[in-house]
């Protein structure tokens, strides 16, 4: 393998400069991609050029000044430009510290110049441009690449190093199972550093992003295969039918709910342990699928645990499931940190003996003193609120089958690529639940406050969501702190409370309980209220909506109108940019979470879903290139066609020094799919 020291013209001093750019290998040299491409195939007239821009000009030398004898040894060359209608236009080039160029210019000869244009009064000037005689052009043609070198090394010096390395590497004969991929990467690097057209460079970037994702996708699948343990726990299913469960529900399940029931049943029957995610909007009926899995498990003589992030949600689920469980003779219990010591001892004893078949609770379910007789199924609600450790603790207590619920819809294009759609069940929202919330943009916070006050005066409840808890220097946004300072007086006479992540668990639980019970009229909060709680709230004001992804906005909107009655969602944006307003208008027009997830993915990348945000978009882990749905689709094809037979070690070798970023990426993907 070629090293930096083996590249022609690279010595110790140059290696030190490259290391300052975090380039420590030839692979990293090739991975240091241009930040900009400039088309030098067609020079522009000076009349078409703008001051401050990098321009390519052609001109005839009209006059050459004398070379100054002191200081920076300056000289100026005056040019005429007659590219448009043979009209003579003039510009000049000033050269500092380049006395060796003075005698290369001849009056009457034509030259091509490339540099940044400036304007002094009525005259255009270029300082220290690159210059070549028209009849001897070698560099100022085709596509010019610009690298983010931070002044550490010159553009031309860096390009010479890069071209020498490319010349040496293309002569390499690749062998072994990685030969095809390495040759493909080399071809892409050549196209990226020496593109024939800007379009070719863009296509090569997308192809490299696809290869990047394909490598990581293949690693993910290999890890998945390693984690797909053969089933050791078997269920007695002969006495349990989907039809019986459906009839026991207080409503007729939708086709997508029945589809989820079938997916769960097939998982339990399969030879592999279940690892499924149920994705669906607020109000779509995900809990019905969770309860189906729990009933199936209990009626097969096993135990299951449903873990949720808050006590109020645990109580809601317990009340609903207990009513359903009684129809099947299933025993269930509630286990949270707030139950009395006597009740806790009783529940723990009955869990250990197997008398309790289903238990619903918070993280109390994984406390050290909790043991189960035959726990086999763990259901995790709002799974993005829990980490890998919580799941591992449930597994350590016996759970081999994992079912997870999320109301943050996963873009189908991403799901199809990474998970082959095999462990995700989508539940669609009922048609009647899609129309009860009216969403609109307000022009000021004051307008939004006025609207929610009107609702409260009529006996309603409302949320106010702020982007942060306290003010942050340099950000002109309303935090909870500043909102109360500026608008708190408007709520005099109303019961108002604050809810955010820095409160204790008991404070958060008490506040949410009070709000759910109607004892609070206005709840001023951060996005901590994204977690599903049943309330009678009818209005919500989201401040700084431009700072949230569509998926998060949709989650927040789901806090109101949960009983099906008319509700309102008001959003306020700090920016009036077309991009931000287009996103918010899309949010106002659509109440389908899956559609919004796909739209957000198309507009912003996958940041909201896999947590690798960079300026609002997701980037690939190895080369840091933007990820789009099209790139994901081509990555899947490349992985299937070229990487399927490679081992995890061989795939890891392709990630080079990007291993830590790849590991972080895989961890985030694991959080989405619960297969970390």
């Amino acid at each position: 393998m070629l090293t930096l020291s083996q590249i022609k013209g690279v010595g110790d001093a140059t290696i030190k400069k490259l290391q300052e750019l975090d380039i420590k290998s030839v692979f990293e040299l090739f991975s240091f991609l241009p930040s900009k491409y400039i088309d030098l195939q067609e020079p522009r007239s000076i009349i078409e050029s703008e001051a401050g821009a990098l321009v390519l000009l052609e001109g005839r030398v009209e006059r050459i000044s004398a070379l100054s004898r002191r200081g920076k040894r300056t000289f100026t060359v005056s040019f005429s430009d007659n590219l448009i209608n043979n009209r003579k236009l003039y510009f000049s080039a000033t050269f500092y510290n380049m006395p060796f160029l003075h005698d290369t210019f001849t009056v009457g000869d034509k030259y091509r110049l490339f540099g940044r244009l400036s304007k002094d009064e009525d005259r255009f000037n270029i300082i220290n441009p690159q210059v070549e005689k028209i009849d001897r052009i070698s560099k100022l043609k085709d596509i010019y690449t610009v690298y983010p070198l931070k002044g550490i090394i010159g553009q031309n010096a860096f390009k010479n190093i890069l071209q020498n390395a490319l010349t040496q590497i293309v002569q390499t004969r690749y062998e072994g199972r990685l030969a095809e991929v390495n040759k493909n990467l080399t071809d892409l690097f050549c196209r990226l550093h020496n593109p024939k057209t800007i379009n070719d460079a863009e296509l090569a970037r997308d192809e490299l992003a696809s290869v990047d994702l394909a490598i990581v996708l293949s690693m993910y699948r290999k890890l998945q295969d390693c984690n797909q343990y053969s089933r050791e726990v078997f269920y007695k299913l002969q006495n349990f039918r989907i039809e019986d469960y459906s009839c026991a529900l207080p409503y007729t399940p939708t086709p997508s709910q029945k589809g989820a029931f079938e997916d769960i049943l097939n998982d339990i029957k399969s030879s592999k342990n279940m690892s499924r995610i149920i994705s669906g909007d607020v109000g779509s009926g995900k809990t019905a699928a969770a309860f189906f899995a729990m009933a199936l498990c209990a009626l097969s003589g096993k135990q299951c645990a449903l873990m949720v992030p808050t006590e109020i949600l645990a109580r809601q689920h317990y009340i609903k499931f207990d009513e359903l469980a009684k129809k099947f003779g299933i025993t269930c219990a509630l286990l949270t940190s707030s139950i009395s010591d006597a009740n806790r001892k009783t529940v723990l004893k009955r869990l250990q003996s197997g008398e309790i078949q289903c238990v619903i609770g918070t993280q109390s379910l994984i406390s050290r003193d909790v043991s189960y007789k035959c726990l086999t199924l763990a259901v995790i609600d709002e799974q993005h609120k829990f980490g890998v450790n919580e799941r591992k603790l449930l597994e350590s207590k016996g759970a081999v089958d994992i079912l997870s619920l999320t109301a943050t819809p996963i873009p189908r294009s991403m799901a199809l690529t990474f998970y082959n759609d095999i462990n995700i069940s989508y539940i669609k929202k009922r048609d009647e639940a899609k129309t009860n919330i009216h969403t609109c943009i307000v022009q000021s916070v004051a307008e939004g406050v006025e609207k929610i006050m009107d609702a409260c005066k009529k006996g309603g409840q409302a949320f106010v969501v702020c982007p942060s808890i306290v003010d942050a220097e340099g950000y002109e946004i309303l935090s909870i702190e500043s909102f109360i300072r500026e608008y708190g007086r408007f709520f005099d006479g109303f019961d108002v409370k604050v809810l955010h992540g820095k409160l204790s668990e008991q404070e958060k639980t008490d506040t949410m309980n009070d709000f759910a019970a109607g004892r609070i009229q206005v709840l001023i909060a951060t996005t901590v209220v994204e977690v599903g709680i049943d309330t009678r709230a009818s209005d919500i004001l989201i401040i700084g909506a431009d700072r949230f992804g569509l998926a998060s906005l949709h989650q927040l909107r789901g806090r109101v109108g949960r009983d099906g009655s008319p509700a309102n969602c008001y959003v306020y944006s700090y920016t009036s940019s077309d991009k931000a307003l287009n996103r918010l208008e899309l949010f106002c027009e659509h109440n389908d979470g899956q559609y919004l997830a796909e739209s957000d993915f198309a507009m912003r990348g996958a940041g909201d879903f896999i947590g690798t945000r960079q300026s609002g978009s997701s980037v690939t882990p190895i080369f840091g290139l933007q990820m789009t749905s099209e790139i994901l689709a081509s990555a899947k094809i490349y992985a299937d066609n070229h990487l399927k037979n490679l081992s995890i070690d061989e795939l890891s070798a392709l990630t080079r020094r990007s291993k830590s970023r790849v590991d972080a990426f895989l961890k985030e993907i694991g959080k989405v799919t619960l297969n970390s």
Side-chain angles (χ1 to χ4, degrees):
M1 180 62 69
L2 185 69
T3 64
L4 289 176
S5 60
Q6 292 173 321
I7 299 173
K8 183 181 176 182
V10 174
D12 292 342
T14 302
I15 288 176
K16 189 174 181 181
K17 290 179 180 179
L18 292 174
Q19 288 175 343
E20 286 184 57
L21 293 168
D22 202 28
I23 298 172
K24 300 180 179 66
S25 69
V26 174
F27 180 81
E28 288 167 354
L29 176 67
F30 294 152
S31 302
F32 198 88
L33 303 179
S35 57
K36 184 185 294 185
Y37 294 95
I38 300 171
D39 193 339
L40 298 185
Q41 298 181 84
E42 291 293 335
R44 303 183 69 181
S45 168
I46 191 67
I47 201 170
E48 299 173 317
S49 304
E50 295 180 1
L54 283 169
V55 295
L56 178 69
L57 302 173
E58 281 187 2
R60 178 181 181 277
V61 176
E62 299 290 339
R63 189 175 67 85
I64 307 168
S65 74
L67 181 65
S68 65
R69 295 177 177 273
R70 297 179 181 179
K72 296 183 178 180
R73 306 298 306 279
T74 307
F75 70 96
T76 299
V77 181
S78 295
F79 293 89
S80 63
D81 166 4
N82 60 352
L83 284 178
I84 293 187
N85 299 326
N86 293 319
R87 178 185 170 193
K88 252 188 186 181
L89 303 167
Y90 296 91
F91 66 93
S92 60
T94 303
F95 296 87
Y96 294 94
N97 292 324
M98 294 183 176
F100 54 88
L101 286 179
H102 185 269
D103 293 338
T104 64
F105 290 100
T106 304
V107 173
D109 285 351
K110 290 185 178 181
Y111 294 82
R112 181 172 285 189
L113 304 93
F114 177 67
R116 193 169 299 280
L117 193 64
S118 61
K119 193 173 185 180
D120 184 14
E121 295 181 354
D122 292 329
R123 193 171 186 85
F124 284 104
N125 185 51
I126 306 181
I127 296 175
N128 285 357
Q130 295 186 51
V131 60
E132 289 183 323
K133 203 171 181 182
I134 289 289
D135 57 3
R136 280 184 263 161
I137 291 175
S138 61
K139 293 182 179 179
L140 296 183
K141 61 179 183 177
D142 302 325
I143 304 301
Y144 184 83
T145 51
V146 180
Y147 294 87
L149 299 171
K150 306 174 185 176
I152 294 170
I153 189 170
Q155 292 284 338
N156 287 338
F158 181 79
K159 289 177 188 179
N160 287 334
I161 295 167
L162 190 56
Q163 296 309 319
N164 288 338
L166 285 171
T167 300
Q168 290 174 252
I169 207 73
V170 293
Q171 298 170 355
T172 302
R173 291 187 63 184
Y174 295 107
E175 296 179 354
R177 285 155 57 91
L178 296 179
E180 182 184 1
V181 184
N182 279 321
K183 185 177 185 304
N184 190 17
L185 286 171
T186 299
D187 291 341
L188 288 172
F189 287 139
C190 287
R191 286 170 58 194
L192 283 161
H193 293 295
N194 297 305
K196 294 178 180 178
T197 65
I198 289 180
N199 184 58
D200 185 46
E202 291 172 349
L203 290 174
R205 269 183 181 269
D206 287 350
E207 287 180 38
L208 184 61
S210 295
V211 175
D212 184 335
L213 277 177
I215 293 168
V216 181
L217 167 61
S218 299
M219 292 178 68
Y220 175 81
R221 289 178 176 174
K222 295 291 181 184
L223 291 170
Q224 287 286 85
D225 291 341
C226 294
N227 291 330
Q228 289 294 312
Y229 302 111
S230 297
R231 180 168 294 285
E232 296 177 0
V233 174
F234 296 90
Y235 298 83
K236 299 175 183 177
L237 305 171
Q238 63 270 25
N239 297 322
F240 189 75
R241 300 184 309 156
I242 291 176
E243 292 79 6
D244 296 335
Y245 178 76
S246 298
C247 290
L249 293 173
Y251 55 83
T252 302
T254 62
S256 60
Q257 282 179 305
K258 288 184 177 179
F261 300 164
E262 290 176 3
D263 289 340
I264 292 167
L265 189 59
N266 290 334
D267 285 347
I268 293 297
K269 288 179 178 178
S270 77
S271 60
K272 303 278 188 180
N273 292 339
M274 179 169 71
S275 187
R276 177 167 295 278
I277 188 166
I278 304 292
S279 175
D281 264 346
V282 172
S284 61
K286 298 183 297 297
T287 51
F291 292 168
F292 171 81
M294 294 167 68
L296 185 155
C297 176
L299 292 173
S300 299
K302 311 296 183 184
Q303 285 179 306
C304 63
L306 167 59
M307 186 167 70
V308 300
T310 65
E311 181 165 333
I312 187 170
L313 195 55
R315 289 186 181 278
Q316 284 176 188
H317 283 337
Y318 172 71
I319 292 169
K320 290 178 180 177
F321 182 70
D322 189 48
E323 185 177 339
L324 183 64
K326 287 174 181 175
K327 297 180 181 180
F328 293 98
I330 297 170
T331 57
C332 67
L334 176 71
L335 185 61
T336 67
S337 59
S338 67
I339 66 172
S340 66
D341 289 341
N343 282 342
R344 180 179 175 82
K345 286 180 181 178
T346 301
V347 170
L348 294 185
K349 184 177 180 180
R350 295 175 70 202
L351 277 174
Q352 193 170 25
S353 69
E355 185 181 346
I356 292 175
Q357 297 163 292
C358 299
V359 62
I360 299 171
T362 54
Q363 289 180 320
S364 296
L365 297 176
I366 52 178
S367 296
R368 192 171 296 177
D369 60 341
V370 179
S371 60
Y372 302 83
K373 181 180 181 181
C374 54
L375 179 69
T376 60
L377 170 68
V379 181
I380 304 173
D381 196 2
E382 301 291 352
Q383 60 95 17
H384 60 285
K385 298 293 181 182
F386 296 106
V388 178
N389 292 336
E390 284 83 357
R391 181 192 170 189
K392 293 296 182 187
L393 284 169
L394 272 172
E395 288 178 339
S396 71
K397 293 182 182 294
V400 293
D401 294 306
I402 307 291
L403 180 68
S404 185
L405 315 180
T406 181
T408 302
I410 299 165
R412 198 167 192 83
S413 50
M414 189 172 79
L416 286 169
T417 300
F418 270 89
Y419 328 122
N420 284 331
D421 214 17
I422 57 170
N423 28 328
I424 302 177
S425 298
Y426 292 94
I427 298 182
K428 296 179 181 178
K429 185 181 273 191
R430 292 174 180 271
D431 291 336
E432 62 270 22
K434 294 180 181 179
T435 58
N436 68 310
I437 305 175
H438 170 68
T439 308
C440 68
I441 301 171
V442 292
Q443 300 306 309
S444 66
V445 175
E447 180 188 346
V449 169
E450 186 177 331
K451 288 181 179 295
I452 63 172
M453 281 178 60
D454 288 342
C456 292
K457 287 175 183 176
K458 296 173 184 176
Q461 289 177 287
F463 291 94
V464 175
V465 178
C466 298
S468 62
I469 302 172
V470 297
D471 297 340
E473 187 176 349
Y475 291 92
E476 294 182 3
I477 60 172
L478 280 178
S479 62
I480 288 179
E481 178 183 70
S482 56
F483 177 82
I484 292 173
R485 185 171 60 245
E486 293 187 33
Y487 296 96
R489 66 185 185 280
F490 292 102
F491 296 102
D492 289 345
F494 294 103
D495 294 317
V496 181
K497 273 199 175 181
V498 169
L499 180 66
H500 53 73
K502 288 190 176 180
L503 297 176
S504 69
E505 286 303 316
Q506 190 60 52
E507 287 174 316
K508 284 189 282 188
T509 298
D510 290 345
T511 299
M512 287 193 288
N513 278 329
D514 286 344
F515 191 67
R519 291 187 287 269
I520 298 171
Q521 286 175 282
V522 181
L523 188 60
I524 304 170
T526 58
T527 54
V528 70
V529 295
E530 261 189 54
V531 175
I533 55 171
D534 285 337
T535 72
R536 294 191 293 272
S538 60
D539 292 71
I540 184 169
L541 168 62
I542 305 172
I543 299 171
D546 52 293
R547 302 175 65 85
F548 302 105
L550 290 178
S552 292
L553 289 174
H554 186 62
Q555 280 282 83
L556 291 168
R557 175 168 56 187
R559 299 312 99 213
V560 297
R562 293 176 68 88
D563 59 357
S565 59
N568 298 289
C569 175
Y570 306 108
V571 292
Y572 172 71
S573 171
Y574 284 106
T575 176
S576 57
S577 73
D578 290 342
K579 185 176 180 181
L581 292 179
N582 286 341
R583 288 180 60 252
L584 292 182
E585 285 170 1
L586 186 74
F587 174 64
C588 293
E589 292 167 6
H590 296 275
N591 201 25
D592 184 326
Q594 193 61 52
Y595 176 83
L596 291 174
E598 295 292 347
S599 300
D600 216 17
F601 188 31
M603 288 187 285
R604 287 162 49 92
D608 272 4
F609 309 98
I610 60 175
T612 51
R613 288 192 182 94
Q614 181 172 325
S615 301
S617 64
S618 280
V619 294
T620 59
I622 301 175
F623 300 107
L625 301 173
Q626 181 150 354
M627 188 191 309
T628 65
S629 54
E630 291 81 8
I631 287 170
L632 277 167
S634 59
K636 179 179 183 295
I637 294 170
Y638 190 91
D640 291 342
N641 293 341
H642 303 285
L643 306 178
K644 204 169 186 177
N645 297 322
L646 296 180
S647 69
I648 190 72
D649 289 337
E650 289 169 327
L651 291 166
S652 296
L654 292 169
T655 66
R656 317 294 168 112
R657 279 188 69 242
S658 307
K659 186 179 184 305
S660 60
R661 295 200 301 272
V662 171
D663 288 345
F665 186 93
L666 290 171
K667 184 178 180 181
E668 294 298 334
I669 284 290
K671 287 180 184 176
V672 172
T673 60
L674 56 107
N675 289 315
S676 300

